[in-house]
Amino acid sequence: MNVFAIIGQVVLGTLAEIGALTRFIWLSVSHIFRPPFFWRLVAQQMLRIGYFSLPVVALTAFFTGGALALQIYYGGNSFNSESIVATIVALGITRELGPVLGGLMVAGRVSAAIAAELGTMRVTEQIDALTTLSTNPHKYLVVPRVVAAVVTLPLLVFIADIIGIMGGFVVSTGSLDFNAGVYVKNTADFLKLDDVTSGLIKAAVFGFIIATMGCFHGFNSKGGAQGVGRATTNAVVTASILILAANYVMTSLLFAN
Amino acid sequence: MSEAKIELRNVSKRFGKKVVLDGINLTVPKGESLVVIGGSGTGKSVMIKCVLGIIRPDSGQIFVDGKNVLKMDASEREKVLRKFGMLFQGAALFDSLPVWENVAFGLIQGRKMKRKQAKDIAIEKLAKVGLAAEVGELYPAELSGGMQKRVGLARAIAADPEIIFFDEPTTGLDPIMADVINDLIVDSVKDLGATTLSITHDMASARKIADKVAMIHKGKIIWAGSRAEVDDSGNAYVDQFIHGRADGPIQMEVLKP
Ligand SMILES: Nc1ncnc2c1ncn2[C@@H]1O[C@H](COP(=O)(O)OP(=O)(O)OP(=O)(O)O)[C@@H](O)[C@H]1O
Ligand SMILES: [Mg+2]
């Protein structure tokens, strides 16, 4: 087969996908601010996306904070390590690891769940049925999930920040014999509000990515159980990659100076 | 002859290379019951979805009450959709909602009715299709196929629509239940004075609910007439279909070993 034909097909396919995604996002976002609003559904989704992700995110943050503390201690020279460990754990968790790892964990859980649910609704014609009952599927299905994810991800990451720093603290004071008071003081001295808010802004963006990818792939799934499975996988993979890419872009913008 | 409630002019639709609708012309007069018969995979469901705006045809015009729905913007279209009720081939019940909320869905979400009042109406409609109020508290997955069809029917008529589409209302039901559904359709049409378009392979059902019959084959309407004319249509396709013969002008795409 002609190489150019294959390249052309891939390029066209990718462009078509980007076009479809842009259209999907536009259709959904344009409904966020137009009544009617489905508050009950937003609350329900916040519970599912936020509350039920807490254990996963908390455990991830705790172990990451602990491992980070060990790594810095072993890697750096022990001279001065007491202040360096506390600082780097605090900055690393709030700026990067809290939002990114939290985002990835929630992507695995929530994007998959959303894609599977909406994908099943698509192949069993439930999404078509919504249209015939004078209910816009974007408004009813996509908007509550996107809004809930954008609101809850920063909350989750804020909790992850606290628990991650605690993980570092527990390991430092427990197995590295650091002084607890000094550790807390070092953390408080070096951690600035900007570090935390930058992480929370990232988290909101990741929330948008997670919900949008889940909904987009669910909406476009076709062909029965296999199609739903494929949509689920695609949702998690694209959400994860987009989170990492968006994180890079935001880090370079937020910390440019 | 009374005025046309729905009119399709030259409607065509293809998926990839596969031509599904190839210039459909069809009129449903106001207050009448039209039954479309035709083989599996001939595009009957696709045709109905084109009228509902779930699938956009490639070309042609579709008029509802004299207005071309393909030229409408989203909000006009939503208004037109309020006139419709639809029973899906696979029932397409929302499996996250209890039965009564499925039936009341169009009233609560589409018409902003209070939940309490909508529930009363839902229970009344469930009674119409022969289901007890307790069934309303169950979830769709807990129902048999026949019960799901009946719930789908209750949902389709819940908002007293002017136009109702029934996609294979009796497929997969035992003959007695099928006849019960036929009676329900005839009754609801009489009670509501609705215009209906039904799709079926089931000639007993067609004979019972039709005022007019049209036959679709290879994406075209090849015959249309009144119920009485079906039996001596003089059309070889229609004859073969209503008598269910394997031999005739309609060749099923079956690969013989
Ligand atoms: N979304 C879609 N994408 C691609 N092809 C489709 C789609 N929907 C329907 N088709 C194709 O269109 C053809 C007609 O489908 P349709 O569901 O209208 O058949 P039907 O007449 O309702 O058949 P049945 O009586 O079995 O329900 C089928 O060959 C199907 O493969
Ligand atoms: Mg069909």
Side-chain angles (χ1 to χ4, degrees):
Chain A
M1 200 180 171
N2 192 334
V3 185
F4 292 107
I6 297 173
I7 296 174
Q9 235 166 18
V10 171
V11 170
L12 285 180
T14 312
L15 286 179
E17 189 81 351
I18 292 173
L21 177 60
T22 312
R23 200 181 117 79
F24 183 87
I25 291 176
W26 165 245
L27 274 177
S28 304
V29 169
S30 69
H31 275 287
I32 292 181
F33 306 102
R34 265 189 285 156
F37 304 111
F38 295 109
W39 297 118
R40 174 197 276 268
L41 294 176
V42 174
Q44 193 186 336
Q45 290 303 327
M46 283 177 74
L47 194 70
R48 278 212 225 163
I49 297 172
Y51 186 71
F52 293 125
S53 296
L54 259 178
V56 179
V57 171
L59 285 172
T60 308
F62 185 83
F63 289 122
T64 308
L68 192 58
L70 284 184
Q71 196 66 263
I72 299 159
Y73 179 75
Y74 294 148
N77 49 4
S78 341
F79 152 78
N80 217 6
S81 68
E82 202 151 349
S83 80
I84 287 179
V85 169
T87 315
I88 298 187
V89 166
L91 293 190
I93 291 284
T94 54
R95 287 181 172 196
E96 291 290 330
L97 295 173
V100 173
L101 291 181
L104 289 177
M105 294 309 282
V106 179
R109 224 184 70 84
V110 171
S111 295
I114 292 177
E117 187 184 6
L118 300 199
T120 306
M121 291 186 74
R122 164 62 76 203
V123 300
T124 55
E125 299 186 313
Q126 292 178 50
I127 294 182
D128 294 341
L130 279 176
T131 310
T132 68
L133 293 166
S134 327
T135 305
N136 185 299
H138 283 271
K139 195 178 226 39
Y140 184 79
L141 294 174
V142 181
V143 169
R145 285 168 174 78
V146 171
V147 170
V150 170
V151 173
T152 47
L153 255 274
L155 295 176
L156 274 175
V157 167
F158 187 69
I159 295 169
D161 287 350
I162 295 171
I163 294 178
I165 290 173
M166 251 166 56
F169 173 83
V170 169
V171 168
S172 302
T173 53
S175 60
L176 303 180
D177 285 332
F178 285 10
N179 179 298
V182 176
Y183 191 96
V184 172
K185 186 179 177 307
N186 276 327
T187 305
D189 280 352
F190 282 96
L191 192 60
K192 291 194 296 295
L193 187 63
D194 282 355
D195 300 321
V196 179
T197 45
S198 71
L200 300 188
I201 292 170
K202 284 179 174 183
V205 173
F206 297 164
F208 183 81
I209 292 173
I210 288 167
T212 310
M213 284 300 116
C215 292
F216 177 69
H217 289 285
F219 253 60
N220 290 322
S221 69
K222 35 181 157 291
Q226 211 178 15
V228 175
R230 202 161 38 230
T232 309
T233 312
N234 287 344
V236 176
V237 172
T238 49
S240 305
I241 291 173
L242 283 179
I243 284 176
L244 294 172
N247 180 58
Y248 175 78
V249 172
M250 282 190 288
T251 297
S252 63
L253 292 178
L254 289 167
F255 300 101
N257 31 15
Chain B
M1 189 176 129
S2 60
E3 61 185 300
K5 189 79 179 170
I6 302 170
E7 190 181 351
L8 286 80
R9 276 191 215 153
N10 239 333
V11 174
S12 299
K13 175 72 193 175
R14 60 163 76 193
F15 292 106
K17 287 201 188 94
K18 188 180 168 81
V19 177
V20 177
L21 301 182
D22 188 14
I24 292 269
N25 287 295
L26 191 68
T27 305
V28 191
K30 190 168 186 211
E32 290 196 18
S33 168
L34 175 78
V35 170
V36 175
I37 56 174
S40 206
T42 45
K44 304 183 297 298
S45 297
V46 170
M47 179 183 78
I48 276 195
K49 286 179 186 170
C50 283
V51 179
L52 291 169
I54 295 167
I55 293 176
R56 197 172 172 84
D58 301 327
S59 62
Q61 295 158 303
I62 297 172
F63 297 90
V64 174
D65 285 325
K67 292 200 201 83
N68 189 345
V69 291
L70 298 177
K71 291 247 164 67
M72 291 179 174
D73 62 30
S75 71
E76 273 180 295
R77 185 129 209 170
E78 233 155 78
K79 271 195 208 106
V80 173
L81 270 175
R82 278 165 193 272
K83 299 179 182 178
F84 285 89
M86 164 86 184
L87 169 61
F88 282 84
Q89 192 166 350
L93 301 177
F94 304 124
D95 39 32
S96 60
L97 299 177
V99 165
W100 79 263
E101 228 178 309
N102 263 281
V103 178
F105 194 92
L107 301 171
I108 297 173
Q109 308 299 351
R111 302 188 185 208
K112 304 283 151 268
M113 192 183 276
K114 288 268 171 295
R115 290 173 70 82
K116 174 109 192 31
Q117 191 189 354
K119 186 168 184 175
D120 292 342
I121 295 179
I123 286 171
E124 179 193 315
K125 298 289 175 184
L126 282 172
K128 266 212 171 115
V129 298
L131 294 172
E134 296 84 68
V135 175
E137 304 299 331
L138 300 177
Y139 280 83
E142 299 170 292
L143 306 181
S144 76
M147 289 164 94
Q148 290 183 358
K149 269 265 153 77
R150 286 193 275 168
V151 174
L153 183 60
R155 184 174 73 178
I157 61 174
D160 298 332
E162 295 170 35
I163 305 165
I164 318 177
F165 288 173
F166 301 103
D167 195 348
E168 307 202 4
T170 57
T171 306
L173 303 182
D174 70 76
I176 299 169
M177 183 54 73
D179 206 49
V180 172
I181 297 270
N182 288 336
D183 283 337
L184 285 170
I185 292 175
V186 173
D187 286 350
S188 25
V189 171
K190 243 190 281 157
D191 293 353
L192 301 170
T195 306
T196 67
L197 174 59
S198 315
I199 289 174
T200 191
H201 309 282
D202 172 0
M203 283 314 296
S205 170
R207 286 200 169 85
K208 190 143 187 182
I209 62 182
D211 294 318
K212 295 225 166 66
V213 178
M215 170 138 182
I216 186 172
H217 180 63
K218 293 213 165 139
K220 286 194 170 74
I221 299 292
I222 54 161
W223 184 84
S226 71
R227 169 172 57 179
E229 290 164 344
V230 175
D231 287 307
D232 42 12
S233 62
N235 183 307
Y237 291 87
V238 176
D239 273 347
Q240 187 192 347
F241 190 87
I242 64 175
H243 295 115
R245 286 191 291 254
D247 296 326
I250 308 174
Q251 289 303 316
M252 286 287 160
E253 285 157 7
V254 185
L255 295 177
K256 299 241 164 71

